[in-house]
Amino acid sequence: MSGRTVETGAMKHIGILAHSAEGATLCYRTTWMEGVRRLGPHRHPEITLTGVAMDEALDFYDRDLPAVRALFVRDAAKLAAAGADFFILPDNTAHIALELPGEPFPIPCLHIGEVVAGRAAAEGHGRIGILGTDWTMTGPVYPGALGRRGLGWEIPDETDRQMIHRIIFEELCLGIFTEAARAAYVAVIGKLAMRGCDAVALVCTEIPLLIRPEDSPLPILDSTRLLAESAVETALNLSEMPQWRGGPV
């Protein structure tokens, strides 16, 4: 536990904008556990969590990303009204919509891709395998975050991407975690290692519930837990407040 004393009144209020339920739940649990680790039993920063069903947005991802962004602006306004000082969105794919130009979010957002890429650079990794939804693997968020730090990346081939994407939505997001899925994901990570990756970013927030560090052929970057830990550091004034309110990074 950290020896630094933090007064409860000085802590910032964390907002969690939930999208996928399993990932948001893991992020919420990690946030309060990290608070306890740093502050002692039963103490953590204040946390407010939204709970809008992901189904409201899924149909828009392939045809109307601004509509997805508008849903998130609405939910962020709820967190702001509840008194949150900043928010996190524990869903990597969602950041594709957050990075679109548009109305600024009412409170700042701690960007999950920036957190993961920052940790990758701090740990000295040079080439990162990206594992997430097909939208995330082929999208701009991680090439941007990693590229800004001079890091390389690889994504699985199309067949593996479709398998990973299917398991995320048909199993992981519904709380189904099987040995068959674990073996399939581990095999993909092994292929990424053979292509020169020295770490793998688990950038669907449910994947860390399936793939543990001891399962992976490569060191893992757990986006869900890294985001939660970074949010607590921010709430305890150990890291600077984020300034980003959506739009290009």
Side-chain angles (χ1 to χ4, degrees), residues 1 24 38 44 67-68 97 158 162 195 199 204 220 235:
M1 183 186 303
R38 288 179 174 271
H44 58 76
V68 179
E158 183 175 0
Q162 293 307 312
R195 289 165 57 187
C204 161
I220 68 170

PDB file of all heavy atoms in Angstrom, residues 1 24 38 44 67-68 97 158 162 195 199 204 220 235:
ATOM      1  N   MET A   1       0.836  -1.190   0.000  1.00  0.00           N
ATOM      2  CA  MET A   1       0.000   0.000   0.000  1.00  0.00           C
ATOM      3  C   MET A   1       0.874   1.244   0.000  1.00  0.00           C
ATOM      4  O   MET A   1       1.896   1.284   0.662  1.00  0.00           O
ATOM      5  CB  MET A   1      -0.899  -0.002   1.235  1.00  0.00           C
ATOM      6  CG  MET A   1      -1.871   1.171   1.295  1.00  0.00           C
ATOM      7  SD  MET A   1      -2.757   1.191   2.859  1.00  0.00           S
ATOM      8  CE  MET A   1      -3.488  -0.430   2.818  1.00  0.00           C
ATOM      9  N   ALA A  24     -17.010  -2.994 -18.263  1.00  0.00           N
ATOM     10  CA  ALA A  24     -17.270  -1.912 -17.318  1.00  0.00           C
ATOM     11  C   ALA A  24     -17.283  -2.425 -15.882  1.00  0.00           C
ATOM     12  O   ALA A  24     -16.810  -1.754 -14.963  1.00  0.00           O
ATOM     13  CB  ALA A  24     -18.593  -1.235 -17.656  1.00  0.00           C
ATOM     14  N   ARG A  38      -4.297   1.519  -2.279  1.00  0.00           N
ATOM     15  CA  ARG A  38      -3.524   2.724  -2.026  1.00  0.00           C
ATOM     16  C   ARG A  38      -3.917   3.418  -0.718  1.00  0.00           C
ATOM     17  O   ARG A  38      -3.070   4.062  -0.078  1.00  0.00           O
ATOM     18  CB  ARG A  38      -3.693   3.711  -3.185  1.00  0.00           C
ATOM     19  CG  ARG A  38      -2.969   3.287  -4.464  1.00  0.00           C
ATOM     20  CD  ARG A  38      -3.199   4.296  -5.567  1.00  0.00           C
ATOM     21  NE  ARG A  38      -2.410   3.993  -6.756  1.00  0.00           N
ATOM     22  CZ  ARG A  38      -1.167   4.432  -6.969  1.00  0.00           C
ATOM     23  NH1 ARG A  38      -0.570   5.175  -6.062  1.00  0.00           N
ATOM     24  NH2 ARG A  38      -0.530   4.128  -8.083  1.00  0.00           N
ATOM     25  N   HIS A  44     -11.826   4.511  -1.103  1.00  0.00           N
ATOM     26  CA  HIS A  44     -11.528   4.691  -2.524  1.00  0.00           C
ATOM     27  C   HIS A  44     -12.160   5.986  -2.988  1.00  0.00           C
ATOM     28  O   HIS A  44     -13.048   6.538  -2.303  1.00  0.00           O
ATOM     29  CB  HIS A  44     -12.042   3.501  -3.357  1.00  0.00           C
ATOM     30  CG  HIS A  44     -13.508   3.245  -3.242  1.00  0.00           C
ATOM     31  ND1 HIS A  44     -14.462   4.019  -3.875  1.00  0.00           N
ATOM     32  CD2 HIS A  44     -14.199   2.293  -2.557  1.00  0.00           C
ATOM     33  CE1 HIS A  44     -15.672   3.559  -3.593  1.00  0.00           C
ATOM     34  NE2 HIS A  44     -15.541   2.521  -2.793  1.00  0.00           N
ATOM     35  N   ALA A  67     -23.576   9.038 -34.557  1.00  0.00           N
ATOM     36  CA  ALA A  67     -24.695   8.707 -33.673  1.00  0.00           C
ATOM     37  C   ALA A  67     -24.211   8.009 -32.413  1.00  0.00           C
ATOM     38  O   ALA A  67     -24.750   8.222 -31.319  1.00  0.00           O
ATOM     39  CB  ALA A  67     -25.702   7.823 -34.413  1.00  0.00           C
ATOM     40  N   VAL A  68     -23.171   7.170 -32.553  1.00  0.00           N
ATOM     41  CA  VAL A  68     -22.576   6.531 -31.373  1.00  0.00           C
ATOM     42  C   VAL A  68     -21.981   7.600 -30.468  1.00  0.00           C
ATOM     43  O   VAL A  68     -22.177   7.590 -29.241  1.00  0.00           O
ATOM     44  CB  VAL A  68     -21.493   5.516 -31.788  1.00  0.00           C
ATOM     45  CG1 VAL A  68     -20.851   4.880 -30.554  1.00  0.00           C
ATOM     46  CG2 VAL A  68     -22.080   4.432 -32.692  1.00  0.00           C
ATOM     47  N   ALA A  97     -15.337   6.347 -31.940  1.00  0.00           N
ATOM     48  CA  ALA A  97     -16.370   7.383 -31.985  1.00  0.00           C
ATOM     49  C   ALA A  97     -15.957   8.610 -31.178  1.00  0.00           C
ATOM     50  O   ALA A  97     -16.187   9.753 -31.599  1.00  0.00           O
ATOM     51  CB  ALA A  97     -17.688   6.830 -31.462  1.00  0.00           C
ATOM     52  N   GLU A 158      -7.066 -11.781 -41.361  1.00  0.00           N
ATOM     53  CA  GLU A 158      -8.517 -11.592 -41.414  1.00  0.00           C
ATOM     54  C   GLU A 158      -9.270 -12.758 -40.785  1.00  0.00           C
ATOM     55  O   GLU A 158     -10.254 -12.551 -40.059  1.00  0.00           O
ATOM     56  CB  GLU A 158      -8.981 -11.385 -42.856  1.00  0.00           C
ATOM     57  CG  GLU A 158     -10.471 -11.105 -42.963  1.00  0.00           C
ATOM     58  CD  GLU A 158     -10.909 -10.773 -44.375  1.00  0.00           C
ATOM     59  OE1 GLU A 158     -10.069 -10.765 -45.279  1.00  0.00           O
ATOM     60  OE2 GLU A 158     -12.123 -10.525 -44.553  1.00  0.00           O
ATOM     61  N   GLN A 162     -11.775 -12.291 -37.527  1.00  0.00           N
ATOM     62  CA  GLN A 162     -13.195 -12.615 -37.493  1.00  0.00           C
ATOM     63  C   GLN A 162     -13.512 -13.573 -36.350  1.00  0.00           C
ATOM     64  O   GLN A 162     -14.558 -13.465 -35.699  1.00  0.00           O
ATOM     65  CB  GLN A 162     -13.625 -13.216 -38.842  1.00  0.00           C
ATOM     66  CG  GLN A 162     -13.567 -12.235 -39.995  1.00  0.00           C
ATOM     67  CD  GLN A 162     -14.332 -10.951 -39.720  1.00  0.00           C
ATOM     68  OE1 GLN A 162     -15.477 -10.976 -39.272  1.00  0.00           O
ATOM     69  NE2 GLN A 162     -13.694  -9.809 -39.967  1.00  0.00           N
ATOM     70  N   ARG A 195       5.688 -12.993 -35.454  1.00  0.00           N
ATOM     71  CA  ARG A 195       5.812 -11.856 -36.373  1.00  0.00           C
ATOM     72  C   ARG A 195       6.592 -10.701 -35.750  1.00  0.00           C
ATOM     73  O   ARG A 195       6.643  -9.611 -36.315  1.00  0.00           O
ATOM     74  CB  ARG A 195       4.425 -11.405 -36.816  1.00  0.00           C
ATOM     75  CG  ARG A 195       3.755 -12.405 -37.758  1.00  0.00           C
ATOM     76  CD  ARG A 195       2.268 -12.156 -37.913  1.00  0.00           C
ATOM     77  NE  ARG A 195       1.949 -10.823 -38.374  1.00  0.00           N
ATOM     78  CZ  ARG A 195       0.708 -10.348 -38.458  1.00  0.00           C
ATOM     79  NH1 ARG A 195      -0.324 -11.114 -38.116  1.00  0.00           N
ATOM     80  NH2 ARG A 195       0.495  -9.119 -38.872  1.00  0.00           N
ATOM     81  N   ALA A 199       4.956  -7.751 -27.067  1.00  0.00           N
ATOM     82  CA  ALA A 199       3.871  -7.634 -26.085  1.00  0.00           C
ATOM     83  C   ALA A 199       2.564  -7.705 -26.855  1.00  0.00           C
ATOM     84  O   ALA A 199       2.527  -7.480 -28.072  1.00  0.00           O
ATOM     85  CB  ALA A 199       3.964  -6.332 -25.304  1.00  0.00           C
ATOM     86  N   CYS A 204      -9.811  -5.305 -26.035  1.00  0.00           N
ATOM     87  CA  CYS A 204     -11.244  -5.428 -25.788  1.00  0.00           C
ATOM     88  C   CYS A 204     -11.320  -5.634 -24.287  1.00  0.00           C
ATOM     89  O   CYS A 204     -10.591  -6.471 -23.735  1.00  0.00           O
ATOM     90  CB  CYS A 204     -11.843  -6.600 -26.541  1.00  0.00           C
ATOM     91  SG  CYS A 204     -13.441  -7.124 -25.880  1.00  0.00           S
ATOM     92  N   ILE A 220       1.420  -9.121 -21.429  1.00  0.00           N
ATOM     93  CA  ILE A 220       0.144  -8.507 -21.805  1.00  0.00           C
ATOM     94  C   ILE A 220       0.057  -7.072 -21.309  1.00  0.00           C
ATOM     95  O   ILE A 220       0.626  -6.710 -20.273  1.00  0.00           O
ATOM     96  CB  ILE A 220      -1.062  -9.328 -21.303  1.00  0.00           C
ATOM     97  CG1 ILE A 220      -1.175  -9.292 -19.785  1.00  0.00           C
ATOM     98  CG2 ILE A 220      -1.016 -10.750 -21.829  1.00  0.00           C
ATOM     99  CD1 ILE A 220      -2.475  -9.885 -19.273  1.00  0.00           C
ATOM    100  N   ALA A 235      -7.443  10.500  -9.747  1.00  0.00           N
ATOM    101  CA  ALA A 235      -8.346  10.910  -8.669  1.00  0.00           C
ATOM    102  C   ALA A 235      -7.594  11.262  -7.401  1.00  0.00           C
ATOM    103  O   ALA A 235      -8.035  12.120  -6.623  1.00  0.00           O
ATOM    104  CB  ALA A 235      -9.357   9.807  -8.394  1.00  0.00           C
TER     105      ALA A 235
END
